[in-house]
Amino acid sequence: MGILDRAIANSVPVIPRPIVKRISSRYIAGDTLDEALSTVRDLNEQGCVATIDVLGESTESKADAASTLKDYERVVDALDEHGLKSGISVKLTGLGLDLSEELCRANLEEIVEYAGERGRFVRVDMEDSPYTEATLNIVRDMHERHENIGAVLQAYMRRSIEDVQRVIEAGFSVRLCKGIYDEPRSIAYKDFDTVRQNYIFLLDELLKGGVYVGIATHDEFLIWHALRLIHQLEVPEDRYEFQMLLGVDEELRSILVGAGHKLRVYVPFGEDWYEYSTRRLKENPKIAGYVARDVIGNITGKLKR
Ligand SMILES: Cc1cc2nc3c(=O)[nH]c(=O)nc-3n(C[C@H](O)[C@H](O)[C@H](O)COP(=O)(O)OP(=O)(O)OC[C@H]3O[C@@H](n4cnc5c(N)ncnc54)[C@H](O)[C@@H]3O)c2cc1C
């Protein structure tokens, strides 16, 4: 990322919301379930599978968590009704983890059971570090009763190599990503190359341990290493998939699909788009250009009027 891009990325929180919405619309399927279904249909036609994330507001009460649960049940019903290839991705804070672990476990079990009866997989996203331990424990326990659940490990976390051993013992599927939250150096690697090296190390261990891995990255250097490991370790097709975010590097996506790899696209939708959008914009290496084009386009548009 260039200096200007980095400066703009750091100032994303002060960019006016309408601009954030316009330039981040590529990362979000829309406000409604219908828009998400239409995006998943397009992806399926392009040879990709999907996982749907309902962008929810912060969960401050039992009723908020219950409403998130119902939203996900509606998603599962709609996927069935339209015959689409997609699972769902949930966040445990959305299901009430901040309110009570017991409540969260009960909500998660309900959605996992509901999805399982309909042949759908539930991926539990990994949030910031205060939730790591509880999230992994909950997924491990739930996996003892339901096969259609998996977790996420973040390559920037120093603890992840130990978590890999736990995952191998428990035998649940993992999405491996670099990690998006701003964690302190005491618990997370901060150096770009070290995170990359750790990603390769963790992926190697997971694949050797027979874990089904969702290789979630747009970093072509890591994708090359993943392809190398798949080749060298003779990993069968049913033990891995690639995963990418909606709106990011569609060219690389079609290269992987064209080469015959399973590829899942993360499809967020919902009215609560702001936090997700700002996280994506901060990662976008061309953010300064997008912001400038949007602002200039708006000004010239107004001058013409
Ligand atoms: C399917 C999926 C699920 C994820 N789930 C989680 C999760 O549960 N918890 C979590 O902490 N993190 C999650 N992440 C985010 C992840 O941790 C990284 O922050 C994110 O994927 C960027 O890292 P990268 O590996 O793509 O490498 P980067 O080095 O960030 O990106 C590599 C290249 O990809 C392109 N690129 C990346 N992001 C953008 C963007 N926004 N716009 C345009 N181009 C871009 C650029 O060309 C960049 O040079 C998920 C990522 C994916 C793909």
Side-chain angles (χ1 to χ4, degrees):
M1 221 186 239
I3 294 169
L4 185 59
D5 287 302
R6 212 183 302 276
I8 300 247
N10 290 334
S11 61
V12 163
V14 296
I15 299 175
R17 281 172 85 97
I19 297 186
V20 171
K21 178 142 200 189
R22 269 199 302 277
I23 56 182
S24 64
S25 58
R26 56 190 284 215
Y27 303 122
I28 293 174
D31 288 353
T32 65
L33 176 56
D34 278 347
E35 288 168 298
L37 296 173
S38 154
T39 301
V40 172
R41 189 173 301 110
D42 289 348
L43 289 166
N44 285 174
E45 279 165 10
Q46 292 162 29
C48 303
V49 292
T51 182
I52 292 192
D53 169 34
V54 182
L55 297 168
E57 291 179 38
S58 61
T59 304
E60 279 156 17
S61 66
K62 267 175 101 168
D64 288 344
S67 143
T68 303
L69 184 64
K70 291 298 156 210
D71 286 345
Y72 273 108
E73 288 180 356
R74 267 193 289 278
V75 170
V76 170
D77 287 343
L79 288 172
D80 267 7
E81 191 190 324
H82 295 268
L84 297 173
K85 292 183 200 149
S86 179
I88 54 173
S89 285
V90 302
K91 288 187 177 50
L92 293 191
T93 53
L95 295 176
L97 184 56
D98 276 331
L99 302 170
S100 123
E101 189 170 320
E102 209 186 335
L103 170 77
C104 173
R105 281 177 183 263
N107 283 338
L108 182 66
E109 185 133 33
E110 186 173 331
I111 187 64
V112 171
E113 239 168 49
Y114 196 84
E117 283 159 8
R118 290 155 183 82
R120 305 275 168 189
F121 189 81
V122 180
R123 176 74 58 190
V124 178
D125 287 344
M126 186 55 82
E127 300 176 73
D128 42 344
S129 55
Y131 304 108
T132 311
E133 184 67 19
T135 302
L136 290 174
N137 288 341
I138 292 171
V139 172
R140 182 201 55 210
D141 295 349
M142 201 71 57
H143 182 258
E144 285 175 6
R145 295 190 293 281
H146 308 281
E147 283 206 331
N148 61 319
I149 185 168
V152 176
L153 292 181
Q154 297 152 321
Y156 65 19
M157 292 294 283
R158 293 177 190 268
R159 58 175 284 163
S160 285
I161 184 59
E162 277 123 55
D163 293 330
V164 162
Q165 302 313 320
R166 292 166 65 190
V167 166
I168 292 172
E169 274 162 38
F172 56 81
S173 146
V174 157
R175 170 197 296 154
L176 182 62
C177 63
K178 284 185 182 172
I180 181 72
Y181 301 93
D182 190 15
E183 300 289 357
R185 188 175 174 203
S186 53
I187 57 166
Y189 301 110
K190 305 300 274 183
D191 172 64
F192 185 78
D193 289 333
T194 311
V195 175
R196 269 182 164 174
Q197 289 297 341
N198 200 40
Y199 192 107
I200 299 163
F201 176 44
L202 301 175
L203 182 59
D204 192 4
E205 295 288 312
L206 287 166
L207 292 173
K208 281 182 186 151
V211 171
Y212 185 100
V213 192
I215 305 163
T217 180
H218 321 92
D219 184 339
E220 197 154 358
F221 176 80
L222 291 183
I223 288 177
W224 180 83
H225 274 285
L227 293 170
R228 173 184 65 75
L229 286 170
I230 290 163
H231 179 76
Q232 284 175 338
L233 302 173
E234 298 179 14
V235 181
E237 274 176 10
D238 62 356
R239 300 313 298 163
Y240 76 92
E241 64 185 41
F242 286 95
Q243 297 190 355
M244 295 176 69
L245 299 171
L246 186 69
V248 180
D249 207 341
E250 287 168 22
E251 187 178 20
L252 183 55
R253 190 166 91 193
S254 57
I255 290 170
L256 289 170
V257 173
H261 301 286
K262 183 168 181 183
L263 193 139
R264 188 175 305 277
V265 179
Y266 190 94
V267 177
F269 84 95
E271 285 169 13
D272 196 36
W273 48 267
Y274 185 75
E275 250 181 64
Y276 183 85
S277 300
T278 51
R279 285 207 295 268
R280 295 286 82 83
L281 289 182
K282 282 183 194 165
E283 286 177 323
N284 187 334
K286 293 184 187 141
I287 181 174
Y290 285 120
V291 174
R293 263 200 300 281
D294 189 273
V295 173
I296 292 164
N298 239 351
I299 293 170
T300 50
K302 276 186 188 137
L303 288 176
K304 278 181 202 153
R305 265 180 247 143

PDB file of all heavy atoms in Angstrom, residues 255-268:
ATOM      1  N   ILE A 255      -9.481 -17.591 -12.073  1.00  0.00           N
ATOM      2  CA  ILE A 255      -8.313 -18.434 -12.409  1.00  0.00           C
ATOM      3  C   ILE A 255      -8.388 -19.733 -11.589  1.00  0.00           C
ATOM      4  O   ILE A 255      -8.202 -20.827 -12.116  1.00  0.00           O
ATOM      5  CB  ILE A 255      -6.990 -17.681 -12.115  1.00  0.00           C
ATOM      6  CG1 ILE A 255      -6.813 -16.535 -13.122  1.00  0.00           C
ATOM      7  CG2 ILE A 255      -5.787 -18.624 -12.145  1.00  0.00           C
ATOM      8  CD1 ILE A 255      -5.674 -15.575 -12.805  1.00  0.00           C
ATOM      9  N   LEU A 256      -8.692 -19.604 -10.297  1.00  0.00           N
ATOM     10  CA  LEU A 256      -8.745 -20.801  -9.429  1.00  0.00           C
ATOM     11  C   LEU A 256      -9.903 -21.718  -9.822  1.00  0.00           C
ATOM     12  O   LEU A 256      -9.752 -22.936  -9.882  1.00  0.00           O
ATOM     13  CB  LEU A 256      -8.862 -20.383  -7.960  1.00  0.00           C
ATOM     14  CG  LEU A 256      -7.594 -19.759  -7.368  1.00  0.00           C
ATOM     15  CD1 LEU A 256      -7.874 -19.145  -6.002  1.00  0.00           C
ATOM     16  CD2 LEU A 256      -6.469 -20.789  -7.257  1.00  0.00           C
ATOM     17  N   VAL A 257     -11.057 -21.112 -10.119  1.00  0.00           N
ATOM     18  CA  VAL A 257     -12.210 -21.930 -10.533  1.00  0.00           C
ATOM     19  C   VAL A 257     -11.887 -22.624 -11.855  1.00  0.00           C
ATOM     20  O   VAL A 257     -12.137 -23.819 -12.025  1.00  0.00           O
ATOM     21  CB  VAL A 257     -13.482 -21.058 -10.661  1.00  0.00           C
ATOM     22  CG1 VAL A 257     -14.633 -21.852 -11.260  1.00  0.00           C
ATOM     23  CG2 VAL A 257     -13.886 -20.520  -9.290  1.00  0.00           C
ATOM     24  N   GLY A 258     -11.269 -21.872 -12.770  1.00  0.00           N
ATOM     25  CA  GLY A 258     -10.914 -22.430 -14.088  1.00  0.00           C
ATOM     26  C   GLY A 258      -9.950 -23.602 -13.958  1.00  0.00           C
ATOM     27  O   GLY A 258      -9.966 -24.521 -14.775  1.00  0.00           O
ATOM     28  N   ALA A 259      -9.116 -23.562 -12.907  1.00  0.00           N
ATOM     29  CA  ALA A 259      -8.148 -24.660 -12.707  1.00  0.00           C
ATOM     30  C   ALA A 259      -8.804 -25.841 -11.982  1.00  0.00           C
ATOM     31  O   ALA A 259      -8.129 -26.822 -11.655  1.00  0.00           O
ATOM     32  CB  ALA A 259      -6.944 -24.145 -11.923  1.00  0.00           C
ATOM     33  N   GLY A 260     -10.092 -25.718 -11.698  1.00  0.00           N
ATOM     34  CA  GLY A 260     -10.829 -26.867 -11.140  1.00  0.00           C
ATOM     35  C   GLY A 260     -10.890 -26.915  -9.624  1.00  0.00           C
ATOM     36  O   GLY A 260     -11.297 -27.928  -9.054  1.00  0.00           O
ATOM     37  N   HIS A 261     -10.496 -25.823  -8.933  1.00  0.00           N
ATOM     38  CA  HIS A 261     -10.548 -25.827  -7.466  1.00  0.00           C
ATOM     39  C   HIS A 261     -11.916 -25.358  -6.979  1.00  0.00           C
ATOM     40  O   HIS A 261     -12.521 -24.469  -7.583  1.00  0.00           O
ATOM     41  CB  HIS A 261      -9.469 -24.903  -6.888  1.00  0.00           C
ATOM     42  CG  HIS A 261      -8.089 -25.301  -7.299  1.00  0.00           C
ATOM     43  ND1 HIS A 261      -7.449 -26.403  -6.765  1.00  0.00           N
ATOM     44  CD2 HIS A 261      -7.247 -24.774  -8.215  1.00  0.00           C
ATOM     45  CE1 HIS A 261      -6.262 -26.524  -7.325  1.00  0.00           C
ATOM     46  NE2 HIS A 261      -6.110 -25.549  -8.213  1.00  0.00           N
ATOM     47  N   LYS A 262     -12.351 -25.941  -5.864  1.00  0.00           N
ATOM     48  CA  LYS A 262     -13.595 -25.468  -5.255  1.00  0.00           C
ATOM     49  C   LYS A 262     -13.330 -24.086  -4.658  1.00  0.00           C
ATOM     50  O   LYS A 262     -12.310 -23.889  -3.981  1.00  0.00           O
ATOM     51  CB  LYS A 262     -14.039 -26.444  -4.170  1.00  0.00           C
ATOM     52  CG  LYS A 262     -15.357 -26.069  -3.531  1.00  0.00           C
ATOM     53  CD  LYS A 262     -15.887 -27.218  -2.681  1.00  0.00           C
ATOM     54  CE  LYS A 262     -17.227 -26.856  -2.061  1.00  0.00           C
ATOM     55  NZ  LYS A 262     -17.720 -27.930  -1.181  1.00  0.00           N
ATOM     56  N   LEU A 263     -14.216 -23.141  -4.925  1.00  0.00           N
ATOM     57  CA  LEU A 263     -14.009 -21.785  -4.391  1.00  0.00           C
ATOM     58  C   LEU A 263     -15.308 -21.233  -3.808  1.00  0.00           C
ATOM     59  O   LEU A 263     -16.347 -21.256  -4.461  1.00  0.00           O
ATOM     60  CB  LEU A 263     -13.504 -20.854  -5.496  1.00  0.00           C
ATOM     61  CG  LEU A 263     -12.974 -19.536  -4.938  1.00  0.00           C
ATOM     62  CD1 LEU A 263     -11.716 -19.103  -5.652  1.00  0.00           C
ATOM     63  CD2 LEU A 263     -14.008 -18.423  -4.992  1.00  0.00           C
ATOM     64  N   ARG A 264     -15.205 -20.776  -2.559  1.00  0.00           N
ATOM     65  CA  ARG A 264     -16.374 -20.250  -1.857  1.00  0.00           C
ATOM     66  C   ARG A 264     -16.228 -18.735  -1.695  1.00  0.00           C
ATOM     67  O   ARG A 264     -15.165 -18.248  -1.300  1.00  0.00           O
ATOM     68  CB  ARG A 264     -16.487 -20.901  -0.477  1.00  0.00           C
ATOM     69  CG  ARG A 264     -17.776 -20.571   0.281  1.00  0.00           C
ATOM     70  CD  ARG A 264     -17.855 -21.343   1.582  1.00  0.00           C
ATOM     71  NE  ARG A 264     -17.731 -22.782   1.418  1.00  0.00           N
ATOM     72  CZ  ARG A 264     -18.734 -23.601   1.084  1.00  0.00           C
ATOM     73  NH1 ARG A 264     -19.949 -23.135   0.912  1.00  0.00           N
ATOM     74  NH2 ARG A 264     -18.510 -24.906   0.933  1.00  0.00           N
ATOM     75  N   VAL A 265     -17.300 -18.017  -1.994  1.00  0.00           N
ATOM     76  CA  VAL A 265     -17.266 -16.554  -1.843  1.00  0.00           C
ATOM     77  C   VAL A 265     -18.111 -16.157  -0.626  1.00  0.00           C
ATOM     78  O   VAL A 265     -19.224 -16.653  -0.439  1.00  0.00           O
ATOM     79  CB  VAL A 265     -17.781 -15.845  -3.124  1.00  0.00           C
ATOM     80  CG1 VAL A 265     -17.765 -14.334  -2.946  1.00  0.00           C
ATOM     81  CG2 VAL A 265     -16.926 -16.243  -4.329  1.00  0.00           C
ATOM     82  N   TYR A 266     -17.540 -15.280   0.187  1.00  0.00           N
ATOM     83  CA  TYR A 266     -18.204 -14.783   1.396  1.00  0.00           C
ATOM     84  C   TYR A 266     -19.124 -13.638   0.979  1.00  0.00           C
ATOM     85  O   TYR A 266     -18.659 -12.622   0.440  1.00  0.00           O
ATOM     86  CB  TYR A 266     -17.110 -14.300   2.343  1.00  0.00           C
ATOM     87  CG  TYR A 266     -17.523 -13.948   3.740  1.00  0.00           C
ATOM     88  CD1 TYR A 266     -17.434 -14.882   4.768  1.00  0.00           C
ATOM     89  CD2 TYR A 266     -17.942 -12.657   4.053  1.00  0.00           C
ATOM     90  CE1 TYR A 266     -17.769 -14.549   6.070  1.00  0.00           C
ATOM     91  CE2 TYR A 266     -18.283 -12.312   5.354  1.00  0.00           C
ATOM     92  CZ  TYR A 266     -18.198 -13.266   6.353  1.00  0.00           C
ATOM     93  OH  TYR A 266     -18.526 -12.924   7.643  1.00  0.00           O
ATOM     94  N   VAL A 267     -20.432 -13.829   1.201  1.00  0.00           N
ATOM     95  CA  VAL A 267     -21.419 -12.858   0.707  1.00  0.00           C
ATOM     96  C   VAL A 267     -22.154 -12.197   1.880  1.00  0.00           C
ATOM     97  O   VAL A 267     -23.101 -12.761   2.429  1.00  0.00           O
ATOM     98  CB  VAL A 267     -22.448 -13.572  -0.217  1.00  0.00           C
ATOM     99  CG1 VAL A 267     -23.525 -12.599  -0.693  1.00  0.00           C
ATOM    100  CG2 VAL A 267     -21.758 -14.222  -1.401  1.00  0.00           C
ATOM    101  N   PRO A 268     -21.737 -10.986   2.270  1.00  0.00           N
ATOM    102  CA  PRO A 268     -22.456 -10.296   3.338  1.00  0.00           C
ATOM    103  C   PRO A 268     -23.631  -9.492   2.783  1.00  0.00           C
ATOM    104  O   PRO A 268     -23.546  -8.973   1.672  1.00  0.00           O
ATOM    105  CB  PRO A 268     -21.405  -9.335   3.914  1.00  0.00           C
ATOM    106  CG  PRO A 268     -20.297  -9.309   2.944  1.00  0.00           C
ATOM    107  CD  PRO A 268     -20.584 -10.229   1.811  1.00  0.00           C
TER     108      PRO A 268
END
